[in-house]
């Protein structure tokens, strides 16, 4: 796993490799309603993904991983 800079993320967006952040946030909120507390863009095995930390209305912290290109939910679980 490796995190990326804003410039690297912008280039990936321009190439169409990742989706705009507003779309990523909408997909995350649809999967896990709540407030996004943290967001990280990573590339693993050649695929871009976002890792988000979400605080739900009930006070649970959840970690959501989203494919940065397709917006599919890769992981949706409690953050231990």
């Amino acid at each position: 796993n490796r995190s990326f800079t804003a410039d690297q993320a912008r280039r990936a967006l321009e190439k169409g490799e990742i989706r705009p952040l507003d779309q990523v946030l909408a997909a995350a909120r649809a999967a896990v309603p709540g407030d996004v507390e943290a967001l990280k863009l990573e590339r693993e095995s050649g695929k871009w993904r976002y890792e988000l930390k979400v605080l739900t209305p009930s006070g649970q912290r959840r970690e959501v991983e989203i494919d940065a290109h397709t917006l599919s939910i890769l992981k949706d679980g409690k953050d231990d």
Side-chain angles (χ1 to χ4, degrees):
N1 291 6
R2 196 178 128 201
S3 294
F4 289 83
T5 66
D7 285 340
Q8 290 167 315
R10 193 172 11 266
R11 283 194 295 274
L13 179 63
E14 289 169 356
K15 291 179 183 177
E17 295 175 353
I18 64 173
R19 302 285 280 277
L21 188 56
D22 62 334
Q23 294 177 17
V24 174
L25 293 174
R29 288 188 181 112
V32 179
D35 296 323
V36 175
E37 295 184 317
L39 174 115
K40 181 169 44 172
L41 177 64
E42 298 179 329
R43 190 167 182 144
E44 185 175 300
S45 302
K47 294 187 183 256
W48 292 98
R49 65 185 180 105
Y50 281 98
E51 181 180 292
L52 298 93
K53 305 283 184 175
V54 179
L55 181 63
T56 68
S58 66
Q60 287 185 318
R61 283 197 165 71
R62 303 268 293 273
E63 182 178 295
V64 181
E65 291 180 10
I66 299 177
D67 182 298
H69 182 69
T70 66
L71 299 181
S72 63
I73 305 300
L74 303 173
K75 178 183 174 184
D76 166 14
K78 289 184 183 176
D79 187 15
D80 296 326

